[in-house]
Structure formats: C-alpha cells, structure tokens
Amino acid sequence: EKGGHEYFMLKEIEEQPEALANTLRGHFVNGRIVLDEQRMSDQDLRDVDKVFVIACGSSYHAGLVAKYAIEHWCRLPVEVELASEFRYRDPVLDRDTLVVAISQSGETADTLEAVRHAREQKARVLAICNTNGAQIPRESDAVLYTHAGPEIGVASTKAFLAQIVANYLVGLALAQARGTKYPDEVAREFAELEAMPDAVSRVLTTVERVRALGRELADSKAVLFLGRHVGFPVALEGALKLKELAYMHAEGFAAGELKHGPIALIEEGLPVVVVMPSPKGRAVLHSKLVSNISEIQARGARTIVIAEEGDETVRPFADHLIEIPAVPTLLQPLVSTVPLQVLAAEIARSRGYDVDKPRNLAKSVTVE
Ligand code: F6R
C-alpha cells in the first residue's frame, strides 16, 4: 500500500512523474490541444477576453503559477483569487470571461459557491479537477481532469503538480483558439510538457539528501521561503506544506518584497529557502535573486538554495544547495516544488507528527 514508504505522502511525491504523464495523455490530438468535456463552443473560447482563476489552498497556488503562462501565451488579463474572497465580492464578469476553477476534490464548498457566483453573471466556467463526476465539474461549461490518481495524504502533492500541467493545457487551448500561438508553437510547448515527467524523475534522485536536510532543520522555530516570478507561488506552496505538516511557522515571500518588511525577520541561523530562476532565463531575475541571497546570508540566515544544475554563481551563497534539472522558465515550478514537499514531510516526520494526517485538516473541505 505505501509501496515500502514510511508514509503515503512520500509515495505520492514519487508518483508525480506518472501523474503528469497521465494528465497530459490524450490532450494533443491531430496537432490540437483538446479538453475532456467542452460544453461551450470553440467560438466561445475564442471570444474569451479575461480570465479569473479561483481556488483554495494549494490549488490556489497552482492558479498563481498559471497566471504567468496564460498571460504570456495568450495575451489575456488573468486574475487569480481565493474562492472564499471571490464569492463574496462583486467581481466584474460577463459571458466573455473564462473562470478557471481548480479543485482536487471537486467538492470544496467555497470553490463550488464561487463557480455558482460566476455562472450567475453568465461567465463560462472551466473546471480542473482530480475527481471524476464531482460537483464542480458537473456545474462547469468545460472540464479538464487531472489524472493524479487518489491522494491519501491530506497534503496535496501529485494533484498540485498535475493541476499546474492542466493549467498549462488550458493556456495552450486558449492560445490555439485565439491564434496567439501558431500550431507549430503549440506543438513545441506540448513537447516541452511531455519532457517534464522525466525532469521530475531526475529531481526525485535527490529525495534522500533533502530528507537528511529536513532532519537537520527539524528543530528550527521558523522557515522563510523566497522566490520571484513563477518561483513566488512555489515559495508560498513550500511554506503552506511546512505549516500544515510540521506545524512550524513558515512564510513565503516575493523576493522583491524583502526590503519592504520581511528582511527584518532575518536573524542568525534562520533557515531561508530560496527558489532560484534559471541562469539561462531572464538574466535580470537571476541576478536579483543572487543579490537577495547574499543580503540575507550577510545577516546570518542559513540559506537553502534550490538552483538549476550547473548554476555556479549561487554556490558561494548557498549553505545548502539542492539542484534541479534545467527546464523552460515557465515549467520550473514542476521541478522546484518537489524538494519543498520532501523537506516539509521529513521535518514533520522528524518532529514525530503524522505526515499523512495533519491535525485539524480534512482532505475535502465541504464546510466553510
Ligand atoms: C494543501 C491542501 C489544501 C487544498 C485545498 C483545496 O496541501 O491540500 O490547501 O489544496 O483545501 O482543496 P481542493 O483542491 O480539493 O479544492
């Protein structure tokens, strides 16, 4: 059952390459991206002029990642919102608004109510869901299922990575419908996605080293996470995992916000996890983060740096270096999240907690 693992979460972390491959399968047919269920016309998809992404918890973080890709590929404005906020606001929506609702369970009360709130205003809803026939996909105009398989661990891992991939498919479907990407470009992006299961398998070779680091950090009082661009939602997700599993104070920040407050928290020995962008991507992003790490290290932080293999520039500033394979910038969350999941699980285990069943949490939040 746990496949020889001490806890389900580790098994589910290791199932991520398969979850991604299964989620991609069957979605590129005759040179075109296809959704699972589309109860809206192709014209409706072409007419979309604004996107809202709504979700809770980790699913919300997957939505934050999606924003970078959909804006870039589709040239559409994208707003990402917590379902529990969206449903009580008066969001500006109409029939040309696409609302992407992300939910592993498909039953989260706030997300379901947010879907209803959007549909009352004639917006179209596309659900990304891991559970066949759940309420949210049933009430949506289009569905893309993640095929992560059932998650036993309460903390989302393989469903989260599968949600990111599903969001990318939605982005490509929109780009294809709107003509902001040529068919050969869509095909190329899809091929990049198809290479991700192997890239995730590569990161998994570092699991034992990351677990050892987790054991070293188990007595920390707090851990901070920093990232920029797509690394920012990854930082938020790393912090959420640590809170929910290890009951440790953890916060994720956009690295650019450091000087606007969080740097005051840095003190001798405080572990700070930094998600580095690729040195081959936008040079400015990379160099900004290098200077952020040097600043926090100079103030005594214990730096844990997630960086691309062969990124020599960060070595002098990294007290602990965790290497991830080189992948296109927008896809990096699929590899950089993995060590953060392992870290949180192992810190929790070292502290004697039940990794699969953290206190006070339920797998499906059907009450508000
Ligand atoms: C975190 C976690 C939760 C869920 C959230 C939304 O590890 O699992 O934050 O992501 O409760 O659940 P779904 O996706 O089922 O709507």
Side-chain angles (χ1 to χ4, degrees), residues 56-59 103-105 108 154-156 163 240-241 244 365:
C56 304
S58 289
S59 300
S103 176
Q104 187 282 127
S105 61
T108 298
V154 163
S156 182
Q163 285 167 343
L240 178 62
K241 284 283 152 301
E244 64 182 338
V365 186

Side-chain angles (χ1 to χ4, degrees), residues 97-306:
T97 309
L98 182 72
V99 172
V100 178
I102 311 172
S103 176
Q104 187 282 127
S105 61
E107 305 288 350
T108 298
D110 278 321
T111 311
L112 178 58
E113 288 305 327
V115 164
R116 292 176 175 158
H117 188 47
R119 294 200 70 193
E120 272 161 23
Q121 294 172 73
K122 305 282 180 274
R124 322 270 173 178
V125 176
L126 185 154
I128 292 178
C129 183
N130 198 44
T131 316
N132 241 297
Q135 197 61 25
I136 291 170
R138 279 218 298 269
E139 295 195 22
S140 298
D141 301 284
V143 186
L144 215 163
Y145 282 106
T146 47
H147 293 282
E151 261 184 346
I152 309 291
V154 163
S156 182
T157 52
K158 57 180 182 169
F160 174 73
L161 287 206
Q163 285 167 343
I164 294 177
V165 159
N167 273 294
Y168 289 151
L169 290 174
V170 171
L172 292 178
L174 280 168
Q176 159 184 286
R178 292 167 50 73
T180 51
K181 275 202 173 295
Y182 292 117
D184 61 317
E185 293 173 308
V186 173
R188 216 175 312 131
E189 298 290 356
F190 189 82
E192 307 264 28
L193 285 172
E194 280 190 307
M196 294 311 292
D198 280 346
V200 175
S201 299
R202 286 261 301 275
V203 201
L204 289 171
T205 62
T206 65
V207 163
E208 288 312 318
R209 281 192 45 227
V210 178
R211 290 183 75 185
L213 175 61
R215 290 190 286 275
E216 272 185 49
L217 297 177
D219 292 330
S220 310
K221 279 207 228 29
V223 179
L224 302 187
F225 294 77
L226 293 181
R228 269 178 199 261
H229 193 259
V230 288
F232 169 42
V234 172
L236 296 177
E237 176 64 5
L240 178 62
K241 284 283 152 301
L242 198 55
K243 280 176 228 183
E244 64 182 338
L245 299 173
Y247 319 145
M248 198 185 267
H249 176 227
E251 270 195 83
F253 296 107
E257 280 292 294
L258 207 52
K259 286 198 173 63
H260 301 285
I263 200 162
L265 292 168
I266 308 290
E267 57 185 24
E268 198 61 38
L270 176 76
V272 182
V273 179
V274 183
V275 184
M276 281 300 297
S278 167
K280 298 183 214 85
R282 300 224 317 260
V284 61
L285 283 180
H286 186 269
S287 67
K288 286 269 166 66
L289 264 165
V290 171
S291 70
N292 291 144
I293 310 178
S294 74
E295 282 162 356
I296 57 174
Q297 204 191 35
R299 286 166 178 78
R302 179 173 182 180
T303 58
I304 298 147
V305 181
I306 317 280

Side-chain angles (χ1 to χ4, degrees), residues 41-74:
S41 68
D42 286 341
Q43 186 61 42
D44 291 338
L45 215 52
R46 251 191 306 281
D47 288 343
V48 168
D49 61 10
K50 183 178 182 183
V51 178
F52 270 97
V53 185
I54 50 172
C56 304
S58 289
S59 300
Y60 167 71
H61 297 154
L64 290 175
V65 173
K67 176 181 168 85
Y68 295 85
I70 300 176
E71 285 179 348
H72 183 66
W73 289 338
C74 312

